[in-house]
Every structure is written in C-alpha cells, then in structure tokens.
Amino acid sequence: MDGKKKSIDVPIEALMLASDYEVDSAERPRSPYPFDSQSDASAAAAAAADAAADSHAAASGHRRQGSDYDNAPPPPYESVDPLALATEHGLELNAAILVEEPRNHQPQQGFLRWCGSFRNEAIAGVDCEMTPFDSVSASAVRRACPDAPTDSSISFVQLNRVRLDPRFRETRSPAPDLTPSQRFGHKTCEIVDGDCKPVAHEHWGKLVGPSRGIQGHHNSCYLDATLFAMFTTVSVFDGVLNRKRNKKKDIPEYEEIQKCLKLNIVNCLREHQFVRADHVIKLREQLDKLGKVPGMLGEEKDPEEFINLLLDHALKHDPYIKLSSNQACHVLQLFVDSSQYDLKLPDTETLLHLTLLQAGLKLTQTPSCLVLQTPRSGKDYKLFDRVVPSTELDISNLLTEHPRQCCVCGKLAELECHDCFLQFQEASKDYTFCKKCFDNNKDHKNPKAQHKTVGIKYPKQVTKKYGKDKPVECPVKMKLFAVVCIHTSHYVCFLRLCQPDNRPAKWLFFDSMADRS
Ligand SMILES: [Zn+2]
Ligand SMILES: [Zn+2]
C-alpha cells in the first residue's frame, strides 16, 4: 500500500459464527408446529370456548353434562408438592432434562421448572428452546393450577415424557466436599503463568483425542466452543489478554476476569491442550457476578452473547469491527433481504457484501479479526437451509479508503452499481466499475434495468497514485479459521488449521460434551 508493492498479503483470520437454529431466549420461536395445541391463538380460543360454555350453562340454569373433556369444568385444584413429585419421578427441579418427542423427532433439551397435577395427570413445566409437540394448553394449566409458573417460556407436558439429560446426570448435585479432581477427573490442569503462544502446527496432533480442549460442564458448550475457536491456534484475540487495566475506564473486576481467562483457560489450553471444567466454572462465576446477563452459571447462551459480555462489558476491548456509520461491534450480524436474489446456497462472503450493501455501510478499517453471525430465525423458519462458510473473504470492496478495481478492466473503479451485484455473469459478485466500462456495459443501458450508481470517494493519495490508467491489484483478503455452530443440539467448533507452505488446510472438530453423549 505504500506504492512499492503491487499486492499485499494480509495475514488476517476470521472467526465465523454460524448457527443451525435459534437459541436466543429473547427471540425464541414459540409453537413452531401448526398442529401444536399450545399456540397462543388456540389457547385463547379454548379459553373463550370454556368461558362461553360456562356462561351458557349459567344462563340456562344448569351445568353441562356429558363427556366433553375440553369443556368440562376443571376438577377442584389439588395442591401437589412439585419437589416431591419430581423426586418421585427420579427428577430434580431446575435440572437439565430431555422431553421425548413423538414421531421419531429428536428429544427437546431444556430445564424442568415445575411439576403439578392437571386433570388427574402428573405434568411438568419445562423451559425448552421450542414448544414440545402435543404440549398441554398453558393457559388451561395456569387456570387450573394457581402455582403453575406464568413465564411465557414455560411449556407444559406429561411428566412421563421428561427424563434427566444423561449428559448432565453425573454433575447434577455435586457433594460440596469433593475436590475438583474428584468431580472432573484426575487429568491435571495446573495453572500456567506468563505468555503462551498458540498451539503451533507441529503440535496440532496433541489436540486430537479424548480429554483434549475444554472440558464441558452444565450447558457450557457455547462458551467452550467459542473460547476454543478464539484462542487455541490463533493469536488474533491475544490483545484481550494483555491490556493493562485502565482505572478510569475498566470495571473493578477487570484484572480478576482477565487473569482467569489468560492463566486458567488460554494458557492451559495452549500448554496442556486441556482445560478442566472447574477453570471454566470460575470464569462463569466471575461473569455471573457482574449481573449483566442472568444465568451465566447454568444456562445455555449464544456465543454472540458471551463474546459481547466478555469483550465488551467485562474487558472493554476496542471493537474489532468499525463501520462507516460510526458504529462499532465485536460481532457482525449478517442480515439480508434476499427477496430479489436467488440465494439457494449462499456463502458468507456473499452475505457479508449484501448485508453492508443493503445497509449502505462500509468498514472504515481492515478488522484484525472478523466475527460474523449468519442469518437465522428458528429451527423451522431458517432464512437459508444452509450457509457455506467462505474459507477466504475478499473485503477490498467493503473498505472506505481502499483502492478498488473496476471489475471489467482492472483499473481504479469510480462507481458502484448495487443493481449489478449477483445479477449477471452467473451470479457474479462484481459491482465496481470505472466510468468507461460502466457506460459500455449494455446491461446498464437497458431502460428496463435502470441501474443506479453510487460514486466512490477515495482519499487523495489513492487517486493520485492510481490515476486513470494504472491497474489496481491489492485485494484485502481474510482467511477463515473457525466455525462455531450447533451440532446435535449443542454448540461445537470446527477449527480450520491453515498449514504452512500453502498446503491444504486441515479441519479439527471440537465438542466439549463429547464424553457425555
Ligand atoms: Zn473499467
Ligand atoms: Zn449495474
């Protein structure tokens, strides 16, 4: 970029976060199944029918007789001790559970929040990502059982469909006097002081096998997979580990959290290739104490939520992504209006370009790492069935001050035609032109197409250097190094290991719960 080199190789890597389906509790889709008995509308309809039946009965002076189960008045409420009922069924309140689903569907994962008796049947109040099939009408349960939880995330199912999640069985009530090695196994995990370098390529083999990586414990997979992706083989996030506390800016817990992250987790991962679960529990306890995100100790969260809590709130790291709107963030949510495109199998590069094009945004500087979150909206309403993670991401056209190439002649581009993106030349991603090539392109002249252009403004030194005739050849490319996604209902990580000498990259799969399932 100093005018001497024609091309530059930027050793940048990207962490790409992709998700199979929604786990954000705030946006969880309710009642995804059209035949679910617990949609709000059908529950309301049932309540209305009950009320109508009752008023009709009252008006006509007699109670309705007969076997109409749904319209029968509820039997008198029998208070049941939820704790005793749970114990009777071998369960525990607030334990991680699985709800059996009919018709060969995967069991739903969640938590047992309540037990009770409804219409002479033992039922459970469960907190799952999705409403289970054939669940009992929540409003009917709440009308009949005054002590039933009213939280909208709770669904009600027959208690005999609920069993303890076997992955968490051994850890559900640890005796307080057990030592960490008695609780989490005898593999030692001494704390490592100082600075440790990422695991180098000649030692990648040490990352393969049982008891490697980060040991999972009680819904920690989102955190294990994210930390493993961020720190095992790359150093792009190491600035987070080494910044000295700024008394004015940082929270009082800054040093404690940074030290735990660095010595207990990152250094152990890099030196021992193993982090025992108690080290991660310590970090979770510290983050939980901040009181910013409830349930950090036991509940499943999103990697995005965790990254923002750790980097933004706890460690106040300067955001990696800076946008031309003066906004900055650690994670960029890809969000596209795909209605005018035929995006059957989009890749992250296309989605990143579209996201920024449609929002009228650019990056004001090359991010040292780029965390992308792919579009998603629930298990059954995904925007795309699949998203291909681009292993290389060309961001040259997304940078405000970077010289850009005309996609036809290779000289300095002067304008962008957003209407050209993905429209021609077999879904070509090119959309930058010099004036001459733009005018010569017959597609732009087509009165039906009416392509609108946006002029590109460069800093003076760029226009001075390239003028009108010099070819532009300095793409800024980022390399993919990890994908965090949901696999068999919990978060896992695929680490992409870029080998030296341009040998093909290898993939390393990491699942912190691998020994539990
Ligand atoms: Zn041109
Ligand atoms: Zn065009």
Side-chain angles (χ1 to χ4, degrees), residues 10 27 45 58 126 185 259 267 269 304 339 353 363 415 466 508:
V10 187
E27 294 170 38
V126 293
K259 194 175 157 199
N267 283 1
L269 189 58
E304 180 216 6
S339 53
H353 279 254
L363 302 170
L415 44 89
Y466 289 98
L508 180 78

Side-chain angles (χ1 to χ4, degrees), residues 221 225-226 483-488 490-494 509-512:
C221 59
T226 309
V483 177
V484 174
C485 61
I486 289 179
H487 178 64
T488 60
H490 68 281
Y491 279 104
V492 297
C493 167
F494 291 86
F509 174 66
F510 168 64
D511 178 351
S512 71

Side-chain angles (χ1 to χ4, degrees), residues 102-335:
R103 299 179 282 275
N104 297 327
H105 285 273
Q106 288 280 326
Q108 284 261 0
Q109 201 186 336
F111 296 92
L112 178 66
R113 300 297 187 208
W114 178 80
C115 288
S117 172
F118 176 66
R119 291 176 175 160
N120 294 325
E121 212 171 9
I123 56 159
V126 293
D127 189 350
C128 293
E129 282 158 12
M130 305 269 191
T131 305
F133 279 102
D134 304 332
S135 51
V136 184
S137 159
S139 50
V141 172
R142 287 179 187 127
R143 267 181 290 133
C145 311
D147 63 332
T150 52
D151 190 327
S152 64
S153 65
I154 307 282
S155 318
F156 297 92
V157 295
Q158 278 81 21
L159 193 57
N160 58 20
R161 284 173 60 186
V162 179
R163 61 185 165 91
L164 284 176
D165 191 330
R167 287 176 300 167
F168 305 114
R169 192 167 282 171
E170 73 275 36
T171 55
R172 65 197 151 92
S173 43
D177 53 347
L178 291 182
T179 64
S181 64
Q182 281 169 315
R183 277 178 74 186
F184 303 112
H186 287 287
K187 190 165 162 119
T188 52
C189 189
E190 296 282 323
I191 289 171
V192 183
D193 271 320
D195 296 331
C196 295
K197 288 202 171 129
V199 179
H201 76 275
E202 57 268 30
H203 300 300
W204 287 342
K206 291 181 185 172
L207 290 164
V208 179
S211 296
R212 308 294 160 93
I214 304 172
Q215 187 182 23
H217 174 73
H218 209 286
N219 288 329
S220 65
C221 59
Y222 71 97
L223 195 132
D224 306 326
T226 309
L227 289 170
F228 189 83
M230 289 167 77
F231 293 107
T232 310
T233 54
V234 293
S235 58
V236 279
F237 290 96
D238 281 16
V240 174
L241 307 174
N242 298 317
R243 184 176 68 79
K244 286 249 177 331
R245 181 172 174 233
N246 176 331
K247 276 187 187 148
K248 279 186 197 157
K249 185 178 106 170
D250 288 315
I251 56 171
E253 299 86 350
Y254 177 83
E255 278 166 337
E256 185 193 15
I257 293 174
Q258 188 188 46
K259 194 175 157 199
C260 177
L261 175 67
K262 183 176 176 177
L263 307 190
N264 289 63
I265 295 173
V266 178
N267 283 1
C268 286
L269 189 58
R270 290 175 177 180
E271 279 298 299
H272 310 313
Q273 293 80 49
F274 176 69
V275 182
R276 205 171 53 198
D278 51 313
H279 293 233
V280 183
I281 291 172
K282 193 174 165 189
L283 180 71
R284 288 175 101 181
E285 282 168 352
Q286 289 171 346
L287 294 175
D288 192 60
K289 266 192 226 154
L290 300 178
K292 183 85 176 165
V293 176
M296 277 309 291
L297 262 179
E299 289 174 24
E300 182 76 89
K301 304 275 172 204
D302 277 346
E304 180 216 6
E305 209 172 4
F306 167 62
I307 290 177
N308 282 328
L309 178 64
L310 182 74
L311 300 190
D312 194 46
H313 184 70
L315 300 177
K316 298 234 180 331
H317 194 76
D318 189 28
Y320 292 102
I321 303 164
K322 304 257 167 72
L323 297 168
S324 52
S325 55
N326 283 332
Q327 290 164 306
C329 50
H330 292 288
V331 179
L332 187 67
Q333 164 82 63
L334 299 178
F335 189 78

Side-chain angles (χ1 to χ4, degrees), residues 406 408-409 434 437:
C406 167
V408 183
C409 68
C434 69
C437 293

Side-chain angles (χ1 to χ4, degrees), residues 417 419-420 424 433 438 444 451:
C417 178
D419 297 309
C420 274
F424 307 108
F433 300 88
F438 181 83
H444 299 128
H451 285 192

Side-chain angles (χ1 to χ4, degrees), residues 405-414 432-438:
Q405 207 180 34
C406 167
C407 65
V408 183
C409 68
K411 290 171 193 164
L412 194 66
E414 291 160 278
T432 55
F433 300 88
C434 69
K435 283 213 177 71
K436 201 173 149 194
C437 293
F438 181 83

